[in-house]
Amino acid sequence: MDLAALLKELIILVVVIDPVGTIPVFLFAVQTVPERLHRRFAFNAVAISAVVLLAFLVGGQFLLETLGLRLGSFQIAGGVILFIFAMTMIFGDSKPSREIEEAERDHLAGAVFPLAMPSIASPGAMLAIVILTDNHTESIVDQAITAGLLLIVLLLTLGLLLVASYVHRVIGNTGASVISRVMGIVLATIAVDSVIGGLDALGVLDVAPLPVESLLQ
């Protein structure tokens, strides 16, 4: 794998994981979490995301092919889930009552949902991993290199989340609530685009490819 291919894969992984975009989700998720647990919250979320994405790297394609599932269907399902979560960010309370109850029992529960999934290990990220490590075209060495690039992006994400803890301390819950609602709109747009992309992959729609999507071809 040459330098250009490495750079292309790195850019794709940064775009689909979106380390910067995870910050408002993190701020939303830790509103009811004691500050002393914010670092552990971030570490847990990134660790869970790494396990999920690496699992998809190793067996995602085999699982989808075994179940007879099409990638487009997977992308649509992920988009619907993201859209529902985005509506929670936009119209919900600062923290939905059900999640508050869960947080009271386990302050780190939010590290799994919504931060690890569907924010960091998003359906788009899972889909990109499956495509980038296609067992029919990519060697074991190339797949291992992709895994290394994935870990680099996840480390970048972790660094940004650790910085976000200090940002949260400055802007407070009110500022975090404002940011979460604004980013909820952005997330809803991403979710709709994911559904459109899935419909395009299934041949239901004919949509012009985005520059980033063209890199996957």
Side-chain angles (χ1 to χ4, degrees), residues 53-62 129 133 135 143:
L53 292 176
L54 287 174
F56 259 82
L57 186 150
V58 174
Q61 183 176 357
F62 173 77
I129 286 295
T133 57
N135 296 329
Q143 293 184 37

Side-chain angles (χ1 to χ4, degrees), residues 189-213:
T189 306
I190 294 173
V192 171
D193 188 70
S194 177
V195 172
I196 293 174
L199 292 172
D200 182 41
L202 294 175
V204 178
L205 295 177
D206 185 12
V207 183
L210 294 173
V212 173
E213 291 176 349

Side-chain angles (χ1 to χ4, degrees), residues 51-72:
V51 171
V52 171
L53 292 176
L54 287 174
F56 259 82
L57 186 150
V58 174
Q61 183 176 357
F62 173 77
L63 176 64
L64 293 177
E65 290 178 351
T66 300
L67 296 177
L69 300 177
R70 289 175 288 186
L71 295 179

Side-chain angles (χ1 to χ4, degrees), residues 73-158:
S73 300
F74 181 77
Q75 194 170 356
I76 292 172
V80 172
I81 294 172
L82 281 176
F83 187 81
I84 293 173
F85 174 64
M87 292 303 98
T88 301
M89 292 180 68
I90 297 170
F91 297 110
D93 297 328
S94 59
K95 190 77 170 170
S97 57
R98 183 174 180 181
E99 291 184 27
I100 291 176
E101 293 174 0
E102 292 176 354
E104 289 174 348
R105 293 193 299 269
D106 181 3
H107 286 300
L108 299 178
V112 179
F113 177 86
L115 189 54
M117 297 181 293
S119 181
I120 302 175
S122 66
M126 298 176 192
L127 182 63
I129 286 295
V130 171
I131 294 174
L132 291 174
T133 57
D134 188 344
N135 296 329
H136 303 304
T137 60
E138 303 296 329
S139 68
I140 297 296
V141 174
D142 287 339
Q143 293 184 37
I145 293 174
T146 300
L149 295 175
L150 171 64
L151 293 177
I152 290 174
V153 176
L154 289 176
L155 287 175
L156 172 61
T157 303
L158 175 61

